[in-house]
Amino acid sequence: VLARASVWKSTFKILPALDVDDSGDISVENLVALTGSKKKAEELIGEGDLDHSKTISYEEFKKLMHTAS
């Protein structure tokens, strides 16, 4: 349980760093700013964008992190 709490705490710190425009979602543009590659950014969005909105919402990000742990 403590390990899971640590993962969630880390997740909450990561999300704001990825959402560089403070929109509340992680967009392709946010990830291009971090990765330098639109292709890589689109691949990453495709992995986590469960509702096909072209962004990763907070809820989608939580699900993605939960699946990864």
Side-chain angles (χ1 to χ4, degrees):
V1 175
L2 289 176
R4 181 167 283 172
S6 177
V7 168
W8 287 117
K9 202 172 189 180
S10 297
T11 299
F12 294 127
K13 290 179 183 177
I14 293 168
L15 187 63
L18 297 175
D19 179 20
V20 296
D21 61 1
D22 293 323
S23 67
D25 293 327
I26 301 167
S27 67
V28 170
E29 292 79 13
N30 294 153
L31 295 178
V32 167
L34 296 170
T35 66
S37 167
K38 185 171 182 178
K39 181 179 178 182
K40 183 64 177 172
E42 288 172 342
E43 289 173 10
L44 291 168
I45 292 290
E47 291 177 21
D49 180 19
L50 304 176
D51 66 0
H52 308 287
S53 64
K54 306 280 190 218
T55 63
I56 298 175
S57 68
Y58 174 72
E59 289 301 318
E60 290 169 326
F61 188 76
K62 281 194 332 186
K63 288 177 184 174
L64 187 63
M65 292 295 101
H66 180 70
T67 301
S69 63

